[in-house]
Amino acid sequence: MATTAFEPIISGAWGQPKSWTLDHYRKRGGYEALKKALDMAPAAIIDEVKKSNLRGRGGAGFPTGLKWSFVPKDSPKPKYLAVNADESEPGTFKDRYILELDPHMMLEGIAIASYALGVHTCYIYIRGEFKFPAQRTQEAINEAYKAGIFGKTVLGKDFHLDCYVVRGAGAYICGEETALLESLEGKKGWPRLKPPFPAVVGLFGSPTVVNNVETLASVPHVFSRGSDWYAKLGTDKSGGTRLVCLSGTVNRPGVYEVDMGTTITQLIFDDKYGRGMPAGRKVKAVIPGGSSAPVLGADELDVALEFEALKVKQTMAGSGGVIVMDDSSCMVRCLWRVARFYAEESCGQCTPCREGTPWQTRLLRKIEEGRGEPSDLELLSNVASSIAPYPPIGLGNTICALGDAAALPTHSFLMRYRAEFEAHIHEKRCPFGDKPWGAFGDWS
Amino acid sequence: MAEPLFTSEEQKKFDAGIAEILSHYPPDRKSAGMLPALRLLQDLKGWLPPEGMRLVAKHLEVTPERAYEVASFYVMYHLKPPGKYVIDVCTNLSCALWGAEKMLAYLEEKLGLTAGEANEKFTLRETECLASCGTAPCLQINEEHHESLTKAKLDDILAKLS
């Protein structure tokens, strides 16, 4: 749990006029951390990041310093940094805010990481639909070049760094790190088999670190205030604060920066965050870490929004996307929406995923429309298991984790809300009638 | 004789754009410029004409089939001319909980199109998560983002599209 008073460090400037400009960032002490880091040996920088307990904020939560240490120091090949700004997991919208409102914080993290890793070229891969965030980021890069932060020297140091924005073109799978590299290489985004891991064989066959936007935005704070300070903000195994994205049927959805001890209940009901449920509604279910994270029931929400605590509940902190469903929401229809997403976004490389994800979707549609048969539930469970068994998390039958992501919601919804699925089949209709979307279904 | 693909102004923009794109990659990795080069082509022509894809492939020193393979993988590339306005409506879970399905149905009725269809003015598509879950429901029109939509707000936006 946090041992120091909480303060937002990533989102602190959001809402301030021109928070995205270099001028504003410098007035807040921006790029001072880079100056400090440039006076350190690269190995010492990596050690500091390790000590900070910074874990990746893209979904997997892998320790950042450890990932950086996997890059071979004596490789004759050029090394690359690829920033994963392909934010596409339903329920997740935090990186967009960093890119729009404080891109220099991420750019400073990029410069520190690049210096530590011996990287001279960084590509920021931004999802294609993010036209405005990509423009803001490009403007910030232009400012950084003009100010001598990027280019032939980095703040006067004998170290050159180029940074380019590459926009994707609409494929969720490109958020998977090896698919992202394939896409950066100008190909369709088919994930690669691992090993070898990108740290050794990545972009253009060279050592490459792939880091999420929020992860890199966190790096300057490790150096501006020290790794001990950063580590103490979090838990024993995970330092810093966390951006969580609250959506669904709550009074005040949004992106909130929280300490790792904040529970889901607090996030939904606290006045600082979600301000509770709409009048007359109760929480029915919560997806705690992006649409792929197994769903939790209303009686399981006093759990901290951090990696280890959620793992104990057999779910994931994932990408930080907390989706709240109220008591008038139909769980079959909610799952169908999630399943449809994975079917649409499957890259088609692995048979269990290519065939299984649309099969799940068809079965769920059939059940939701009251055409389901009793045997469909076992069939649905079997189809999901053929993509990825449950538990454990992360041992699916596909090359990448999209298979797990597609199967985990099915397993967890079936486990926790089986009665609703059965009711659809027995009653031969949706028990929620024509308003399966809860309080906000009457869009107007 | 076939009409040239580009006007002289477009040709200038294309040549400059390709040169800029290629400067971002190692000289022996020209093919890495595929996504931005296809985007450049689409920005100029509104879609990806086959002769344009062949031209991109030539500049990137790959086969035309490779360009088509990439273009057909990603949903944002148009392999045939779309309507003047491409409307992408997010109907994923967070948006759906705020009525996105109803919003899509309203649009279908108003535009006389089913999601996935197009006419000269509009292409209407159901899309998967536009990362606007906290300001749902949302949609994009020609990549311009619109969020926290109500019927009145949407009507107002549509009324401004000539």
Side-chain angles (χ1 to χ4, degrees), chain A residues 9-28:
Chain A
I9 58 173
I10 304 291
S11 62
W14 296 1
Q16 294 175 19
K18 306 261 181 190
S19 62
W20 52 90
T21 60
L22 177 60
D23 190 40
H24 193 284
Y25 189 59
R26 278 205 152 137
K27 281 179 185 158
R28 289 182 270 134

Side-chain angles (χ1 to χ4, degrees), chain A residues 87 104 144 176 219 315:
Chain A
E87 180 168 69
H104 280 286
E176 195 280 337
V219 167
T315 184

Side-chain angles (χ1 to χ4, degrees), chain A residues 183-373:
Chain A
S183 189
L184 267 179
E185 290 183 1
K187 304 172 198 162
K188 57 185 180 179
W190 270 18
R192 300 173 181 170
L193 269 175
K194 293 189 279 191
F197 290 92
V200 181
V201 182
L203 187 65
F204 306 136
S206 289
T208 304
V209 164
V210 183
N211 278 151
N212 170 259
V213 171
E214 186 189 348
T215 311
L216 287 162
S218 302
V219 167
H221 301 285
V222 172
F223 292 90
S224 60
R225 297 176 71 173
S227 56
D228 287 345
W229 173 84
Y230 190 85
K232 280 178 186 165
L233 290 177
T235 63
D236 289 347
K237 290 186 177 172
S238 182
T241 61
R242 192 145 198 265
L243 294 180
V244 291
C245 317
L246 181 62
S247 67
T249 43
V250 293
N251 283 328
R252 200 171 66 139
V255 180
Y256 299 106
E257 188 165 356
V258 299
D259 69 48
M260 300 278 183
T262 304
T263 66
I264 296 176
T265 302
Q266 286 171 316
L267 182 71
I268 295 171
F269 291 99
D270 198 297
D271 276 353
K272 282 189 290 185
Y273 312 122
R275 296 184 183 168
M277 301 294 288
R281 297 293 174 200
K282 290 178 184 165
V283 181
K284 180 179 193 173
V286 173
I287 293 173
S291 64
S292 60
V295 68
L296 293 171
D299 56 344
E300 299 176 285
L301 306 182
D302 286 324
V303 56
L305 280 158
E306 59 91 16
F307 300 93
E308 300 301 320
L310 287 166
K311 203 169 159 188
V312 170
K313 294 270 187 189
Q314 293 196 338
T315 184
M316 303 184 293
S319 57
V322 178
I323 307 172
V324 181
M325 288 151 274
D326 72 52
D327 55 350
S328 64
S329 306
C330 168
M331 290 294 102
V332 178
R333 199 173 181 100
C334 289
L335 178 58
W336 169 66
R337 270 290 163 204
V338 172
R340 185 183 183 277
F341 170 80
Y342 291 104
E344 289 286 317
E345 298 298 339
S346 172
C347 78
Q349 187 175 193
C350 309
T351 308
C353 181
R354 183 184 64 245
E355 301 295 327
T357 51
W359 197 351
Q360 286 192 140
T361 312
R362 287 195 300 273
L363 282 166
L364 285 162
R365 184 78 184 182
K366 186 180 166 196
I367 295 166
E368 164 66 357
E369 289 177 348
R371 296 180 288 111
E373 299 155 59

Side-chain angles (χ1 to χ4, degrees), chain A residues 80 88 90-93 96 123 125 127-131 164 166-171 173-174 183-190 204 247-248 250 253 287 323-325 329 333-334 336-338 340-341 344-345 347 437 440-444, chain B residues 20 23-26 29 31-36 39 66 69-70 73-77 91-94 96-104 106 126-135 137 140 142-145 147 149-152 154:
Chain A
Y80 294 100
S88 315
T92 313
F93 46 103
R96 188 186 137 200
Y123 296 101
Y125 187 93
R127 71 174 290 191
E129 291 87 345
F130 278 7
K131 183 182 176 185
Y164 305 112
V166 176
R167 281 177 70 188
I173 190 60
C174 292
S183 189
L184 267 179
E185 290 183 1
K187 304 172 198 162
K188 57 185 180 179
W190 270 18
F204 306 136
S247 67
V250 293
I287 293 173
I323 307 172
V324 181
M325 288 151 274
S329 306
R333 199 173 181 100
C334 289
W336 169 66
R337 270 290 163 204
V338 172
R340 185 183 183 277
F341 170 80
E344 289 286 317
E345 298 298 339
C347 78
W437 288 115
F440 301 100
D442 291 325
W443 178 77
S444 61
Chain B
E20 166 74 16
S23 73
H24 297 173
Y25 302 102
R29 301 286 181 176
S31 60
M34 183 63 79
L35 268 71
R39 181 178 287 280
R66 165 79 178 276
E69 178 188 71
V70 174
F73 182 80
Y74 297 91
V75 298
M76 291 181 73
Y77 295 127
T91 53
N92 212 286
L93 182 54
S94 300
L97 287 163
W98 283 77
E101 284 191 337
K102 298 259 171 68
M103 183 170 79
L104 178 62
Y106 176 74
E126 196 173 358
T127 192
E128 295 293 349
C129 197
L130 293 169
S132 197
C133 320
T135 41
Q140 288 195 338
N142 290 353
E143 298 182 29
E144 296 298 332
H145 206 83
E147 50 198 1
L149 290 169
T150 60
K151 200 177 279 182
L154 182 56

Side-chain angles (χ1 to χ4, degrees), chain B residues 3 68 74 93 119 121:
Chain B
E3 258 187 49
Y68 182 80
Y74 297 91
L93 182 54
N119 59 26
K121 188 166 181 186

